[in-house]
Amino acid sequence: MKKDLYIICVLLLALFGPLELSAQEYGVNKGYKGSVELGFAAGAGTVGHNRGEFIHVSGYQFNKWLSVGVGVGIQVWQVTQQVTLPLFIDIESIFMEKTISPYINLRTGYCWGLSQDEMLPKDGVYFSPTVGFRWGISYKMALKLGVGYLM
């Protein structure tokens, strides 16, 4: 057991240790910022529903900490197979100039239901705050892992 744990730790250090050496190279750059996101959201509460989503955001990175854009997406709700289409303003802030950095994101706009269902909301306000971590994996690419809430 200890030997397995040691091997896992060594592998993790080998994979993630060098990232801090190249933090400047994988930071955030000023200019156009586009993102394509595939996501899964687990529902919560008594009427929580899981959903899969595909989202595209186009915007502008004003400095190393702030970007603003416009996004559109398609969401498919698991239980009812209802499809919704959100259109929103995307505001994101990254806190550190590192390869791995915490971020916050706020999306607000409007969402249209493209199919009818009695269990889920129809058309309405779209509001989704998120907090998480951004991992710069190359000069122009990053992975993000976040926890958010959709209203």
Side-chain angles (χ1 to χ4, degrees):
M1 179 68 176
K2 286 184 180 181
K3 184 178 180 181
D4 292 337
L5 185 59
Y6 176 75
I7 291 172
I8 290 171
C9 288
V10 168
L11 287 174
L12 288 174
L13 284 173
L15 288 173
F16 297 110
L19 290 179
E20 290 303 316
L21 297 175
S22 57
Q24 285 294 94
E25 180 181 351
Y26 298 150
V28 178
N29 299 310
K30 184 177 177 180
Y32 171 78
K33 177 182 177 181
S35 71
V36 175
E37 303 174 13
L38 293 173
F40 174 79
T46 57
V47 290
H49 296 281
N50 299 335
R51 75 177 189 282
E53 59 186 8
F54 174 80
I55 292 177
H56 171 72
V57 177
S58 286
Y60 191 81
Q61 185 77 39
F62 289 98
N63 53 40
K64 295 183 187 295
W65 300 278
L66 178 67
S67 68
V68 177
V70 175
V72 64
I74 295 176
Q75 301 171 322
V76 179
W77 299 81
Q78 182 182 18
V79 174
T80 62
Q81 297 301 305
Q82 180 180 3
V83 177
T84 55
L85 177 77
L87 178 64
F88 53 88
I89 300 293
D90 180 87
I91 302 168
E92 184 170 288
S93 182
I94 298 170
F95 294 115
M96 299 184 318
E97 234 182 303
K98 301 272 186 180
T99 299
I100 298 175
S101 172
Y103 77 93
I104 59 171
N105 180 282
L106 177 65
R107 292 176 172 168
T108 184
Y110 197 79
C111 191
W112 290 269
L114 301 181
S115 56
Q116 297 299 319
D117 184 83
E118 295 301 318
M119 296 178 69
L120 294 174
K122 310 292 185 281
D123 302 346
V125 173
Y126 181 85
F127 183 77
S128 180
T130 302
V131 296
F133 286 92
R134 177 192 178 276
W135 176 21
I137 57 173
S138 74
Y139 182 68
K140 293 191 175 210
M141 190 176 297
L143 293 174
K144 292 193 297 189
L145 178 63
V147 176
Y149 185 77
L150 175 62
M151 292 187 250

